[in-house]
Amino acid sequence: MRRLWWLGGLLVLVQGMGEAAAQTSSQTSRPKLPPSPSPSATGAPAGPVSPPDPEPEAAPRPAPSTPAAPALDGQAIIGPGHVVLLAKLVPERELVHVVLAGDAPSWDELRALAREAYGRVDQVTTVPRDWSLFLQFMGNDRVSLSSRGVPPLVGNGFTMLDDPGAYTIAATPRAKTLSTFSFTSGDSAVCSGDLVNLRNAPLDVTVRCKIIGTFKGAYSFSAGRNGPPTVAVMAEKTKQLKAVRPGKAQKYSFGLGKLSYPPGQSSWSYGNEIAFATTFEVDGQEVPHFDQGLYTEGLAWLTLLDGVRPLGFQLEPIGKWQRGESILGFTRPASWSAPPYDKAAKADAGKLWKLVAGHLKKHFKKKLLSIWLRDQGVTVAKIENGKLLAGN
């Protein structure tokens, strides 16, 4: 499944509009490899960069049959008023990386801009047909990802937003077992949720719900480790919903019956895992669903990052950033004086803490533990309980 998340050389984006190919599910619109963090996300100065030398670099070729990259036109335009500062083919990431001057527009406008830009890239015949496009705005660290046949995503490189227009349905699936403390063979399960028809015609939707158990293998004292795990479907059921009218929502809820354990396994074995899986079918074909909850959460996070940027903070993931992480890293504002920090710095630190803590509480029911302030990759201060603490 192709994902969106760009041979040395420089790319010219020709004038004129091209049509992006027909959209498919944005679950396939992810990069095969995530793009490198933008300069502002890594602590490098944000803002305009100097245009590159107009002479293209010598492009290493994985095979003689690989086409040569076109030349650079430093004045090429993507969308109204957006000047290309750098456009480059990056083979190891199978994408076209375009750096743009100034601030990006709104998230919705940026998605439309990415569709337009890919239409122009599509006219450059030397660009391989399955490569992706990565637009990066220097002013506010916004990026957009797009590729032929799939809708554009927008975000900041670490958090990307799906395009609801690419989906047939939106859904918020839920499942639970009627158990107080542990899963037993007598437990029953319920599959429920909400579903919305995103198309302009009625849909017949089938909901399929499973409960899947993963059980640790028997421990071998001679080998000093556990054997291979056992994975089993413990309960499964489908339900045909009434025809869902265009733009309308429909709730569903049905029981899955008793949970069944595979031979030799029980609810008391240490390390067992129980997971829920809900899929949807339209006209007999499984279709991905747009997750409104994830979209709302992601948009709130990106809006928060936009909000703290005027204070001088920018997100700097510590290792691999996870959704709902309770310890986060931000770059220390360049305007801050060396410790001891003044009242203005302490006030800004308190504002950052309040915004991030509010986001975690609202979307994850989590408490923020610490914010690490970084400078050139080193932790130089921390914010805990809203108070700025000097040192690492």
Side-chain angles (χ1 to χ4, degrees):
M1 179 170 63
R2 187 175 59 207
R3 292 183 175 271
L4 286 178
W5 255 102
W6 282 72
L7 280 147
L10 301 171
L11 169 71
V12 101
L13 298 183
V14 298
Q15 297 296 323
M17 290 292 292
E19 293 296 328
Q23 294 183 350
T24 61
S25 162
S26 66
Q27 283 201 352
T28 63
S29 57
R30 290 288 193 275
K32 295 182 180 179
L33 288 175
S36 300
S38 64
S40 56
T42 56
V49 298
S50 300
D53 190 319
E55 292 299 322
E57 302 170 358
R61 303 294 179 225
S65 59
T66 303
L72 172 72
D73 176 1
Q75 300 303 313
I77 302 297
I78 299 180
H82 296 297
V83 179
V84 176
L85 299 180
L86 173 65
K88 187 174 184 179
L89 295 174
V90 187
E92 65 274 15
R93 300 199 175 178
E94 299 185 358
L95 54 78
V96 179
H97 184 183
V98 180
V99 179
L100 298 165
D103 289 352
S106 71
W107 297 114
D108 287 340
E109 293 171 326
L110 183 55
R111 183 176 282 125
L113 181 60
R115 186 177 292 111
E116 173 192 346
Y118 201 89
R120 299 186 179 196
V121 173
D122 213 23
Q123 299 178 28
V124 181
T125 58
T126 54
V127 175
R129 292 193 59 81
D130 60 348
W131 282 34
S132 303
L133 173 69
F134 174 43
L135 301 182
Q136 175 186 349
F137 282 84
M138 298 301 294
N140 58 3
D141 194 25
R142 290 186 173 183
V143 300
S144 183
L145 292 160
S146 183
S147 185
R148 184 182 286 101
V150 293
L153 298 172
V154 293
N156 65 350
F158 307 111
T159 301
M160 304 301 293
L161 300 180
D162 274 324
D163 184 357
Y167 290 87
T168 300
I169 60 173
T172 305
R174 294 179 290 271
K176 63 180 180 180
T177 61
L178 305 181
S179 172
T180 305
F181 298 108
S182 63
F183 296 102
T184 70
S185 58
D187 286 339
S188 58
V190 174
C191 183
S192 63
D194 304 284
L195 183 143
V196 179
N197 181 357
L198 299 179
R199 296 308 183 195
N200 56 7
L203 293 177
D204 292 324
V205 181
T206 299
V207 183
R208 181 183 301 274
C209 194
K210 297 180 183 180
I211 295 184
I212 303 171
T214 301
F215 305 92
K216 293 180 66 175
Y219 185 80
S220 170
F221 288 94
S222 61
R225 62 177 180 269
N226 290 85
T230 298
V231 180
V233 176
M234 304 173 67
E236 178 179 5
K237 191 174 182 179
T238 61
K239 182 178 178 62
Q240 176 71 48
L241 304 183
K242 296 179 181 179
V244 186
R245 291 180 294 169
K248 299 298 182 180
Q250 187 172 135
K251 296 182 181 293
Y252 62 88
S253 180
F254 55 93
L256 303 182
K258 303 295 183 181
L259 302 186
S260 61
Y261 280 76
Q265 301 293 341
S266 72
S267 62
W268 305 107
S269 301
Y270 176 77
N272 291 345
E273 295 180 359
I274 305 294
F276 303 97
T278 302
T279 55
F280 303 92
E281 297 175 4
V282 175
D283 297 329
Q285 299 293 320
E286 184 176 322
V287 295
H289 66 276
F290 174 71
D291 192 318
Q292 182 64 55
L294 286 178
Y295 186 90
T296 300
E297 169 202 319
L299 182 59
W301 176 243
L302 294 175
T303 302
L304 183 152
L305 295 181
D306 277 348
V308 302
R309 184 172 287 108
L311 300 175
F313 300 104
Q314 293 175 327
L315 179 68
E316 182 178 334
I318 305 171
K320 183 179 180 182
W321 181 76
Q322 301 290 334
R323 289 178 53 241
E325 186 62 67
S326 55
I327 299 177
L328 290 98
F330 285 81
T331 56
R332 180 179 61 180
S335 60
W336 282 18
S337 60
Y341 297 116
D342 57 23
K343 290 183 178 180
K346 294 178 180 179
D348 287 346
K351 294 176 183 178
L352 177 64
W353 177 272
K354 184 177 180 180
L355 290 170
V356 176
H359 177 83
L360 288 178
K361 182 178 180 180
K362 178 178 180 179
H363 294 281
F364 299 98
K365 305 298 187 290
K366 279 190 173 184
K367 182 179 180 180
L368 179 60
L369 298 181
S370 180
I371 293 177
W372 296 2
L373 298 182
R374 315 265 287 172
D375 184 10
Q376 299 181 356
V378 177
T379 301
V380 294
K382 292 183 179 180
I383 309 172
E384 295 179 353
N385 295 320
K387 297 186 180 299
L388 178 60
L389 308 175
N392 56 7

